[in-house]
Amino acid sequence: MRYSFYRIGRMLKSAAGMYALVIVEMAVGTALLVACLNMFFSNQARLADSREQMAEEMITICWSGEALDDPGVAIMETAETTEEGYKRIYEGSDAWDYEAPFPIGYEEYQTIIREFGDDLVFYYGAIQRTYVGQPESFEGKYSPIFYVFMNDELFEYTFSFQREADKVYMGEMALEFYEQMESAHPEWAGEIKYPASMGKLWLSDDFGVEYTAIPKDKAPEAVEMLSYINSPGLTPEEIEYSFVMPLDHVVLLPETMLEHCILSSLMTPYNTLLVSYRDADAVDDQVPELLTRLMELRNGMSFKIEDAVLEAQKSIADQQNMVVMLTGASVTVLLIVLISTIGILLVLLARRRRFLALACCCGATMGRCYWELAAEVTAVFGLGALLGLVGGYAAVPILQAKLYDIQFYPVNIVIIAAFAVIAALLCCAIAIAGIRLRAPAIELKEL
């Protein structure tokens, strides 16, 4: 054994010049491969964390723009060019009171429930805001009333009481307004879209629902229109004024009643939509696909997400592209290493034909010669791999500064060591196969 190590050392020394190039190439290829593996494992860990987080949190869907089939688009386009349009916009003509659609209407909501409901949980709300004249007991001349249609998921997320499906719940101000309408001011019914009579709120001429007070001890002070909280271009004051609804001014209805309500531009329709994944194992590309589907259903509108978790997913996808590029570069370098090593071994074996023939005459087998050569090449590859591991470890702080928190994974040592051994055995097998030694005595005689 000791003599074998001595012989391997002598052979390494005799070919040190050629092996130096292999060591450098191996170090470069290994360093790139280690960087790729670190990025890949870090991405997988980060992706697993984000998927788990996405399964536990809700993602806000933000919307902007107007659908092409919105009647208001045509009215606005003619506002400056026609007398009718000018009146409808600037003089408050009754003609301006058209049926304005929700950004995400009840039909679109049902469509996305059918298509994505197996993987996503939807928190859906549709909000109409109007202003009503106030009796002397209220502050100010006009005050808003918010009609909020919620599905069960959004209602349970917002409130801590169990609602009855056949009732409408009203805040203190809205309830007082409707009670005074019924008791003392029936003329108010002509000034509001959803009047009250006989203890019912009438969403249409033939559909009325009983109303009652919201239990204040089981409800927040205000209801937020969550889809607009992070809207770009809006100041906190504008968000507070337009999209945060004081509980006293809220009327709560099930989303199924949207089929009966009367939409109007005077009602200022809005939406809130949040989603969450049903299972961390099911987290995939459903939310991006949902955004695409919504834009198909509401052509002309834009839907997007402002969510740190999905932004992390996008960042991971970008990093994965870099991983692919670096992996291609490292594989290319390592292939060059293997090809050049095979070429070097063929040259070395050609020089060592006399030595191999003499060894075989003394009782050595080609198998023993192969394992000695394999030990020689493994030592070369091992040194290059060691330098590459050191380089890959040293590159971690650089990658952290440029990308994100990338760690060095000890499993890289096992992977690189296995690669170095397997690559050495493969190169030696190919090189030995390329040397056709005849009978040792004949080979020696000719040499």
Side-chain angles (χ1 to χ4, degrees):
M1 179 68 68
R2 185 175 179 183
Y3 178 66
S4 296
F5 282 122
Y6 171 76
R7 290 174 56 189
I8 293 171
R10 288 293 301 271
M11 288 188 288
L12 283 171
K13 185 176 180 180
S14 64
M18 289 185 286
Y19 281 147
L21 178 61
V22 175
I23 292 172
V24 172
E25 291 176 344
M26 188 70 179
V28 172
T30 302
L32 288 173
L33 184 58
V34 169
C36 293
L37 291 172
N38 285 334
M39 292 175 64
F40 175 77
F41 291 132
S42 297
N43 282 340
Q44 293 304 306
R46 194 176 177 209
L47 185 59
D49 290 341
S50 69
R51 286 187 171 185
E52 183 176 350
Q53 187 178 355
M54 288 171 70
E56 297 173 353
E57 297 183 357
M58 291 186 293
I59 301 165
T60 302
I61 308 295
C62 298
W63 50 267
S64 60
E66 293 178 303
L68 298 182
D69 58 355
D70 186 343
V73 174
I75 294 174
M76 293 297 292
E77 288 177 349
T78 60
E80 301 293 344
T81 58
T82 66
E83 183 178 354
E84 177 190 5
Y86 183 87
K87 289 181 179 179
R88 296 174 84 173
I89 297 295
Y90 299 108
E91 296 183 5
S93 169
D94 291 340
W96 172 244
D97 188 16
Y98 67 93
E99 186 174 322
F102 284 105
I104 307 172
Y106 188 58
E107 291 184 1
E108 289 81 25
Y109 164 70
Q110 290 179 312
T111 299
I112 60 177
I113 282 288
R114 287 193 302 269
E115 296 181 5
F116 299 92
D118 291 340
D119 298 312
L120 300 175
V121 179
F122 289 88
Y123 303 81
Y124 173 77
I127 302 98
Q128 291 179 300
R129 180 183 62 197
T130 190
Y131 290 89
V132 296
Q134 297 298 297
E136 294 180 359
S137 60
F138 296 138
E139 296 182 2
K141 185 177 181 181
Y142 292 95
S143 186
I145 291 182
F146 299 91
Y147 300 90
V148 184
F149 300 81
M150 290 184 172
N151 67 354
D152 292 339
E153 288 77 11
L154 184 57
F155 190 92
E156 292 172 5
Y157 172 74
T158 308
F159 300 98
S160 59
F161 66 93
Q162 187 70 33
R163 70 176 176 185
E164 297 180 43
D166 57 349
K167 284 190 178 180
V168 168
Y169 295 88
M170 294 187 179
E172 185 176 326
M173 173 264 155
L175 183 64
E176 185 177 349
F177 176 82
Y178 275 107
E179 286 178 342
Q180 292 198 27
M181 179 189 297
E182 291 213 57
S183 61
H185 297 278
E187 70 276 9
W188 292 355
E191 300 177 4
I192 191 168
K193 281 293 179 182
Y194 304 143
S197 63
M198 298 179 292
K200 291 185 176 182
L201 178 74
W202 294 88
L203 296 176
S204 65
D205 294 337
D206 56 357
F207 184 80
V209 190
E210 293 183 11
Y211 61 87
T212 187
I214 298 175
K216 293 198 68 172
D217 59 332
K218 297 181 179 180
E221 294 183 358
V223 179
E224 296 181 350
M225 298 170 64
L226 296 172
S227 287
Y228 247 85
I229 293 303
N230 295 323
S231 296
L234 295 176
T235 65
E237 292 76 16
E238 290 173 326
I239 292 174
E240 180 73 24
Y241 175 77
S242 300
F243 308 118
V244 178
M245 301 168 287
L247 188 67
D248 288 347
H249 297 251
V250 169
V251 178
L252 297 173
L253 309 96
E255 93 285 358
T256 53
M257 293 183 184
L258 282 169
E259 293 181 305
H260 306 283
C261 74
I262 303 171
L263 296 177
S264 164
S265 65
L266 302 180
M267 299 294 284
T268 316
Y270 297 102
N271 275 114
T272 183
L273 180 64
L274 300 95
V275 297
S276 64
Y277 285 93
R278 293 189 182 276
D279 190 342
D281 295 333
V283 173
D284 204 349
D285 298 326
Q286 285 89 348
V287 170
E289 291 175 4
L290 170 65
L291 300 180
T292 302
R293 185 68 175 119
L294 284 172
M295 286 186 278
E296 291 175 354
L297 294 170
R298 303 292 286 136
N299 188 20
M301 297 196 65
S302 176
F303 296 90
K304 65 178 183 178
I305 53 175
E306 294 182 355
D307 184 88
V309 174
L310 290 180
E311 286 298 320
Q313 270 204 325
K314 182 179 182 300
S315 173
I316 289 169
D318 294 338
Q319 299 300 338
Q320 292 294 73
N321 293 332
M322 185 177 295
V323 169
V324 172
M325 294 174 59
L326 286 177
T327 301
S330 65
V331 168
T332 301
V333 172
L334 292 174
L335 283 175
I336 293 173
V337 171
L338 297 182
I339 294 172
S340 63
T341 301
I342 292 171
I344 290 172
L345 291 179
L346 289 172
V347 172
L348 290 177
L349 290 175
R351 293 180 180 178
R352 298 175 183 175
R353 289 178 71 94
R354 184 190 297 273
F355 170 79
L356 292 174
L358 182 59
C360 289
C361 286
C362 295
T365 64
M366 287 301 297
R368 182 179 178 84
C369 294
Y370 167 77
W371 287 114
E372 285 187 353
L373 181 65
E376 180 182 348
V377 177
T378 299
V380 173
F381 279 10
L383 180 57
L386 179 61
L387 294 176
L389 283 169
V390 172
Y393 181 82
V396 168
I398 300 174
L399 293 175
Q400 287 179 339
K402 297 292 184 181
L403 302 174
Y404 57 88
D405 187 19
I406 293 178
Q407 304 297 325
F408 180 84
Y409 289 83
V411 70
N412 289 336
I413 299 174
V414 177
I415 295 174
I416 296 303
F419 170 77
V421 172
I422 294 172
L425 296 176
L426 179 63
C427 290
C428 291
I430 295 174
I432 288 289
I435 298 294
R436 295 184 178 86
L437 285 176
R438 293 170 291 178
I442 299 175
E443 193 75 23
L444 278 176
K445 183 177 181 181
E446 291 186 355
L447 293 173

